[in-house]
């Protein structure tokens, strides 16, 4: 009896973690490529086009699954998921225009566990000491990276401006948005929504706001950039989003957020191929710290 109970749990754990790591790898590569392409255009041009195509793509699978939507019991979670997605994705793509990609990823993924603990604390749930330690460690690593931006030690030599500050703030909001997305996605999954159903309906806010910001230049931009938009949408949004949704389905919120700390270290090495970005030891130290904490959190979660 013991083996019959443990095998399925171990199998779903492996599937969830594998999906999260593959999602992190593809996300890292695509965001470095994206950052290099949008230096001279509006940061929300890509978000509107890409997430509209993503929603259309997953709507096809959602229809084929023939699973009934439970709108009455789920509309609040869906609304909150849309608002959280705006914070997570639009903040992220805005920050990529002005901040080194590895640092944007670090601030988003690193601050996530702290927000998880804060939400758990407000709900008076038990928080293990190891979770406090990991979250505080990631917070210190994030502070190191923020200091490197304003002191000129990051991979991109920036002239300090309002955009730089807004980029850092947007990165922080990414972390909060990512945590909330995980929570509300799990609520919908528990309510009977499949991954395709969730991915079909979670981007209304992103698409609407993106089109509002860029409606006057959208058509010309699409015709000039359709090939790379499709490439990044498929390899950098569609596939990673589906894999992430699977990870959310099979793993706890804290594990999802900490395992995503793999993204910054992947991003750091991918961005070495971008001629705009130079080597930064400070950035490397920050992302390695986050990577170590991420591995430790996965090991601790599995043993628990």
């Amino acid at each position: 009896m013991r083996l019959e109970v443990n095998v399925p749990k171990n199998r779903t754990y492996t599937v969830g973690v594998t999906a999260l790591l593959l999602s992190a790898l593809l996300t890292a590569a695509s965001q470095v490529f994206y950052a290099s392409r949008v230096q001279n255009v509006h940061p929300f041009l890509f978000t509107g086009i890409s997430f509209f195509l993503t929603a259309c793509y997953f709507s096809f699978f959602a229809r084929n699954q023939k699973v009934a939507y439970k709108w009455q019991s789920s509309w609040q979670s869906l609304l909150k998921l849309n608002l959280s997605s705006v914070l997570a994705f639009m903040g992220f793509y805005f920050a990529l225009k002005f901040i080194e990609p590895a640092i944007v990823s670090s601030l988003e993924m690193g601050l996530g566990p702290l927000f998880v603990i804060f939400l758990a604390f407000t709900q008076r749930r038990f928080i293990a000491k190891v979770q406090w330690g990991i979250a505080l460690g990631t917070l210190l690593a994030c502070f190191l990276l923020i200091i490197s931006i304003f002191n000129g030690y990051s991979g991109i030599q920036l002239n300090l401006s309002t955009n730089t500050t807004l980029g850092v703030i947007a990165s922080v909001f990414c972390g909060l948005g990512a945590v909330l997305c995980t929570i509300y996605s799990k609520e919908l999954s528990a309510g009977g929504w499949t991954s395709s159903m969730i991915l079909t309906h979670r981007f209304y806010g992103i698409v609407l706001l993106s089109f509002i910001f860029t409606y006057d230049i959208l058509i010309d931009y699409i015709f000039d950039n359709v090939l790379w938009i499709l490439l990044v949408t498929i390899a950098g949004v569609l596939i990673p989003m589906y894999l992430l949704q699977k990870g959310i389905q099979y793993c706890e919120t804290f594990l999802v957020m900490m395992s995503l700390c793999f993204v910054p270290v992947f991003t750091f090495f991918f961005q070495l191929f971008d001629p705009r970005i130079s080597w930064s030891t400070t950035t490397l130290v920050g992302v390695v710290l986050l990577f170590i904490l991420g591995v430790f959190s996965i090991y601790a979660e599995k043993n628990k």
Side-chain angles (χ1 to χ4, degrees):
M1 287 293 296
R2 190 172 184 179
L3 286 176
E4 292 176 358
V5 173
N6 288 337
V7 170
K9 288 185 178 180
N10 290 336
R11 185 175 301 162
T12 56
Y13 172 86
T14 301
V15 170
V17 172
T18 301
L20 289 172
L21 291 178
L22 289 174
S23 175
L25 186 62
L26 289 172
T27 299
S30 65
Q31 68 189 27
V32 172
F33 181 76
Y34 168 86
S36 68
R37 296 302 298 266
V38 297
Q39 294 305 304
N40 299 314
V41 299
H42 197 288
F44 296 148
L45 275 168
F46 173 78
T47 57
I49 301 167
S50 181
F51 286 101
F52 175 75
L53 294 175
T54 300
C56 292
Y57 175 81
F58 284 108
S59 68
F60 172 78
F61 292 99
R63 286 197 301 269
N64 289 340
Q65 289 170 344
K66 297 180 180 180
V67 179
Y69 286 98
K70 300 177 181 178
W71 295 109
Q72 187 172 0
S73 59
S74 304
W75 72 268
Q76 290 184 336
S77 295
L78 183 62
L79 175 61
K80 293 175 182 178
L81 178 59
N82 270 266
L83 295 175
S84 302
S85 297
V86 168
L87 278 180
F89 291 103
M90 295 189 76
F92 181 78
Y93 284 107
F94 176 84
L96 279 180
K97 184 175 175 67
F98 305 107
I99 306 295
E100 180 184 351
I103 292 182
V104 176
S105 294
S106 298
L107 294 179
E108 178 191 13
M109 306 305 174
L111 291 175
L114 190 65
F115 286 125
V116 170
I117 287 181
F118 175 76
L119 292 173
F121 182 77
T122 59
Q123 296 169 0
R124 298 182 179 181
R125 287 187 290 157
F126 173 75
I127 303 169
K129 290 182 179 179
V130 66
Q131 291 181 320
W132 279 112
I134 292 171
L136 291 176
T138 56
L139 180 62
L140 292 176
C142 288
F143 276 142
L144 173 66
L145 293 172
I146 291 174
I147 292 172
S148 73
I149 294 174
F150 292 104
N151 286 343
Y153 295 126
S154 68
I156 298 178
Q157 298 302 312
L158 299 169
N159 294 320
L160 296 185
S161 64
T162 302
N163 286 333
T164 305
T165 303
L166 289 176
V168 173
I169 294 173
S171 299
V172 173
F173 277 111
C174 284
L176 175 60
V179 171
L180 295 177
C181 283
T182 303
I183 293 173
Y184 299 130
S185 290
K186 284 189 80 71
E187 287 184 3
L188 291 173
S189 293
W193 287 54
T194 66
S195 296
S196 295
M197 292 164 64
I198 294 171
L199 291 168
T200 299
H201 296 286
R202 68 174 290 184
F203 302 126
Y204 294 136
I206 295 175
V207 173
L208 178 62
L209 288 176
S210 296
F211 285 167
I212 289 174
F213 281 119
T214 63
Y215 70 93
D216 55 335
I217 55 177
L218 183 61
I219 301 301
D220 291 337
Y221 183 78
I222 292 177
F223 284 120
D224 294 337
N225 299 273
V226 63
L227 289 179
W228 80 262
I229 289 174
L230 289 175
L231 175 64
V232 176
T233 297
I234 294 171
V237 179
L238 288 177
I239 297 176
M241 192 70 63
Y242 181 78
L243 293 172
L244 178 60
Q245 196 67 47
K246 283 299 180 184
I248 290 172
Q249 181 179 346
Y250 293 132
C251 301
E252 294 297 323
T253 300
F254 189 81
L255 176 59
V256 171
M257 298 312 304
M258 283 306 304
S259 66
L260 290 179
C261 287
F262 284 89
V263 173
V265 71
F266 292 150
T267 303
F268 179 84
F269 288 106
F270 280 127
Q271 76 182 21
L272 295 179
F273 297 96
D274 188 340
R276 298 180 307 113
I277 304 173
S278 59
W279 176 274
S280 170
T281 302
T282 305
T283 301
L284 178 61
V285 170
V287 298
V288 167
L289 285 175
L290 290 172
F291 176 76
I292 293 172
L293 289 165
V295 172
F296 178 72
S297 72
I298 294 175
Y299 177 78
E301 185 72 19
K302 186 175 182 179
N303 284 344
K304 185 180 71 173

